[in-house]
């Protein structure tokens, strides 16, 4: 919970510093990309914060490498 | 780095610092035991061809970053797909380094502090750095590298009373195989990771700076520091201790005790680690943001630095469950990184030769004049 609260503060801060100026300058393309990546990362952070296990890319890479090199 | 260019000295400092990065932190060529320092020398020799390729690419396409080169050579769609692969690699590399540093801080300094707390402040620092432009980072590194080297040499000198030359013996007891394997590991982590500089070195001063000089001197200086650090660790701790420790440099320096007065100076090493890892993280973040901004044709990479930093931190959280898994993954990382470090750059070079002529400096000047 502490994690979610702390990171939420950071997100709010970044919205004021970054996102609102983008909206005011009518730069809609970066605004959309910014919002999508931001929302995605926030969802992952909240999921980690409430204790849900997110699949890591490491085992996939290990499987891929060992299937090719046979380690 | 929009309006300014990179000098030779700045380039060499940043490559050296990048190579020092997390590899001084987590130790190298563990399998080679007392011969790890020979592995590093092999690693440097193996990295020379790779670095020749990177420098040649920088020279053939002046003023173009890796993503521009990919689009120029492979066309729009294929170029974007190839860019996406590189973006993933740089993004993943950045997350790996963030995880290394948060693990280090948790294992060594703050065992009770959760990693997300450390990562939060690292993230803030990275966002602030890149918002102020990568040029600021380059100038800071240029200033700070001599200080780091002085710190490094002084810890080497202070450690002399604790060194035991017998720890180096017997030389090549296990034969050449583990040494060569260690050399190969070192080639992909950290030496050939310098492929990332293809995204930055298009800003080097034309006619004044040479990519060959920057890459070679950076590699040799970084390699020398790694070799000396490894020799120091072997001499102080002995080969069996080194293979059991997660962060050998830190323990080696922690042993130093001069007359019960000057002791526990591992914080000096921690500063070196933090600064060099910070450089590595910033460069990875810069390369990723630059790639995504080129992918979507954005004006400036600074516009999307913050969400990418946060996403990188998220990835660093989910990568491993423990520090043991982190070391386990390093075994596979060597092979995973080879396509990005060797295959793709060679392909770019060959396809570039077949499909299009390299850009001449005069062409760029003409374009600018028009």
């Amino acid at each position: 919970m502490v994690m979610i609260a702390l990171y939420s503060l950071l997100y709010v801060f970044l919205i004021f510093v970054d996102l609102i100026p983008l909206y005011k300058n009518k730069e809609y393309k970066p605004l959309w990309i910014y919002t999508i990546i931001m929302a995605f990362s926030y969802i992952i952070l909240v999921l980690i914060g409430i204790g849900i296990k997110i699949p890591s890319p490491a085992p996939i890479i290990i499987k891929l490498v060992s299937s090719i090199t046979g380690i | 780095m929009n309006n300014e260019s990179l000098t030779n000295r700045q380039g060499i400092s940043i490559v050296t610092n990048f190579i020092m990065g997390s590899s001084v932190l987590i130790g190298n060529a563990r399998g080679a035991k007392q011969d790890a320092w020979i592995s590093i020398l092999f690693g440097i020799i193996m990295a020379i061809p790779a670095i020749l390729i990177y420098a040649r690419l920088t020279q053939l396409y002046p003023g173009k970053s890796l993503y521009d080169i990919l689009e120029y050579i492979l066309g729009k769609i294929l170029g974007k797909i190839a860019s996406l692969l590189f973006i993933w690699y740089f993004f993943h590399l950045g997350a790996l380094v963030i995880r290394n540093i948060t693990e280090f801080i948790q294992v060594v300094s703050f065992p009770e502090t959760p990693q997300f707390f450390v990562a939060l402040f690292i993230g803030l620092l990275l966002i602030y750095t890149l918002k102020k432009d990568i040029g600021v980072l380059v100038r800071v590194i240029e200033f700070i590298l001599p200080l780091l080297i002085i710190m490094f040499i002084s810890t080497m000198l202070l450690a002399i009373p604790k060194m035991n030359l017998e720890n180096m013996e017997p030389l090549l007891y296990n034969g050449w195989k583990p040494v060569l394997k260690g050399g190969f590991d070192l080639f992909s982590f950290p030496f050939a990771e310098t492929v990332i500089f293809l995204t930055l070195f298009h800003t080097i001063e034309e006619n004044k700076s040479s990519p060959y000089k920057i890459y070679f001197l950076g590699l040799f200086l970084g390699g020398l520091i790694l070799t000396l650090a490894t020799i120091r660790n072997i001499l102080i701790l002995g080969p069996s201790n080194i293979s059991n420790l997660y962060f050998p440099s830190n323990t080696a320096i922690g042993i130093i005790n001069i007359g019960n007065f000057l002791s526990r100076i591992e914080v000096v090493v921690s500063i070196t680690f933090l600064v060099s890892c910070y450089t590595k993280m910033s460069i990875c973040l810069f390369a990723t943001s630059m790639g995504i901004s080129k992918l979507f044709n954005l004006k400036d990479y600074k516009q999307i630095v913050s969400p990418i930093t946060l996403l990188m931190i998220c990835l660093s959280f989910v990568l491993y469950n423990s520090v043991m898994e982190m070391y386990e993954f390093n075994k596979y990382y060597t092979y995973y990184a080879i396509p990005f470090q060797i295959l793709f750059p060679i392909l770019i070079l060959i396809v570039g030769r077949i499909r299009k002529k390299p850009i001449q400096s005069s062409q760029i000047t003409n374009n600018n004049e028009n």
Side-chain angles (χ1 to χ4, degrees):
Chain A
M1 273 304 133
V2 183
M3 176 184 173
I4 298 173
L6 271 174
Y7 276 90
S8 301
L9 273 178
L10 177 67
Y11 276 81
V12 172
F13 171 71
L14 287 176
I15 285 171
F16 275 105
V17 176
D18 273 353
L19 211 61
I20 294 176
L22 278 181
Y23 181 72
K24 276 186 183 160
N25 295 338
K26 294 185 176 166
E27 294 185 74
Y28 293 117
K29 203 176 177 186
L31 183 82
W32 275 113
I33 296 166
Y34 193 106
T35 318
I36 291 168
I37 303 177
M38 197 89 162
F40 185 59
S41 63
Y42 190 67
I43 292 167
I44 296 179
L45 273 172
V46 170
L47 288 176
I48 297 169
I50 56 175
I52 292 174
K53 203 168 157 24
I54 314 277
S56 151
I60 304 166
I61 294 168
I62 290 176
K63 246 184 208 167
L64 194 78
V65 169
S66 47
S67 69
I68 295 169
T69 57
I71 308 170
Chain B
M1 254 9 245
N2 292 332
N3 307 317
E4 48 193 317
S5 43
L6 204 76
T7 61
N8 261 341
R9 205 185 133 139
Q10 286 171 337
I12 295 164
S13 317
I14 201 145
V15 173
T16 310
N17 226 310
F18 184 87
I19 288 175
M20 279 163 71
S22 41
S23 34
V24 180
L25 176 68
I26 62 176
N28 308 295
R30 284 151 186 276
K33 294 198 168 170
Q34 68 268 37
D35 305 320
W37 61 279
I38 310 176
S39 292
I40 300 180
L41 299 180
F42 270 113
I44 296 174
I45 295 167
M46 284 182 204
I48 290 173
I51 274 174
L52 277 172
I53 296 170
Y54 308 153
R56 181 75 186 138
L57 276 174
T58 316
Q59 206 182 36
L60 279 178
Y61 304 98
K64 276 187 183 282
S65 75
L66 174 67
Y67 306 109
D68 296 324
I69 299 173
L70 285 171
E71 209 163 306
Y72 178 73
I73 290 172
L74 300 172
K76 211 160 190 180
I77 298 167
L78 264 179
K80 293 226 173 195
I81 295 170
S83 296
L84 211 61
L85 286 172
F86 272 103
I87 291 169
W88 161 254
Y89 175 59
F90 298 147
F91 179 67
H92 187 204
L93 182 62
L96 290 173
V97 183
I98 293 181
R99 187 57 190 252
N100 284 344
I101 200 79
T102 51
E103 284 287 356
F104 168 71
I105 290 173
Q106 197 182 32
V107 170
V108 172
S109 314
F110 308 128
E112 300 291 323
T113 310
Q115 286 189 15
F116 71 80
F117 201 72
V118 180
L120 177 85
F121 288 97
I122 288 176
L124 266 175
L125 185 66
L126 289 177
I127 293 172
Y128 182 56
T129 310
L130 287 190
K131 284 264 173 201
K132 295 285 168 202
D133 204 297
I134 188 93
V136 179
L137 173 84
V138 172
R139 285 197 294 276
V140 168
I141 296 306
E142 184 190 13
F143 167 74
I144 223 165
L145 186 74
L147 295 178
L148 292 185
I149 292 176
I150 291 170
M151 275 189 203
F152 178 75
I153 293 170
S154 49
T155 50
M156 283 281 287
L157 294 176
L158 288 172
I160 288 175
K162 296 279 172 191
M163 287 179 182
N164 182 5
L165 268 176
E166 281 174 13
N167 283 336
M168 288 277 242
E169 294 164 353
L171 204 66
L172 294 172
Y173 178 71
N174 298 313
W176 282 101
K177 208 180 161 193
V179 176
L180 288 172
K181 172 80 179 57
F184 180 54
D185 289 346
L186 272 149
F187 161 77
S188 75
F189 169 71
F191 297 130
E193 277 174 356
T194 42
V195 65
I196 203 166
F197 287 108
L198 285 176
T199 59
L200 177 69
F201 281 176
H202 61 283
T203 51
I204 55 173
E205 280 178 338
E206 230 181 296
N207 308 324
K208 278 188 194 165
S209 305
S210 145
Y212 287 99
K213 196 173 171 186
I214 291 176
Y215 267 117
F216 270 95
L217 283 177
L219 173 76
F220 287 131
L221 199 56
L224 182 73
I225 291 173
L226 277 192
T227 317
L228 289 176
T230 312
I231 292 176
R232 179 196 66 199
N233 294 348
I234 295 169
L235 286 176
I236 297 176
L237 298 168
S240 48
N241 280 336
I242 282 191
S243 33
N244 293 333
L245 286 167
Y246 289 130
F247 305 108
S249 293
N250 200 64
T251 317
I253 298 302
I255 290 174
I256 294 175
N257 185 358
I258 310 284
N260 287 331
F261 169 67
L262 198 63
S263 59
R264 308 294 297 172
I265 52 166
E266 64 260 50
V267 68
V268 178
V269 189
S270 301
I271 293 169
T272 319
F273 292 155
L274 289 175
V275 173
S276 44
C277 282
Y278 158 68
T279 318
K280 204 167 171 176
M281 288 184 287
S282 310
I283 302 277
C284 292
L285 189 61
F286 167 77
T288 316
S289 324
M290 182 91 158
I292 292 181
S293 68
K294 295 260 178 198
L295 201 68
F296 293 104
N297 294 325
L298 299 184
K299 259 197 312 200
D300 198 355
Y301 72 91
K302 286 177 212 160
Q303 288 175 325
I304 47 159
V305 159
S306 339
I308 293 170
T309 314
L310 291 164
L311 202 64
M312 210 180 243
I313 290 173
C314 285
L315 182 64
S316 82
F317 289 152
V318 299
L319 272 175
Y320 323 108
N321 293 320
S322 64
V323 68
M324 280 86 87
E325 271 184 38
M326 186 171 98
Y327 282 91
E328 182 63 24
F329 181 75
N330 281 354
K331 272 192 242 165
Y332 298 92
Y333 174 81
T334 315
Y335 300 96
Y336 155 70
I338 289 296
F340 304 103
Q341 294 171 348
I342 293 292
L343 290 182
F344 292 150
I346 291 179
L347 272 178
I348 299 170
L349 206 61
I350 295 171
V351 177
R353 271 293 161 93
I354 296 168
R355 288 193 66 177
K356 294 232 169 89
K357 278 184 186 171
I359 306 166
Q360 296 301 318
S361 311
S362 55
Q363 244 177 303
I364 291 180
T365 335
N366 287 342
N367 286 342
N368 288 344
E369 278 167 8
N370 292 335

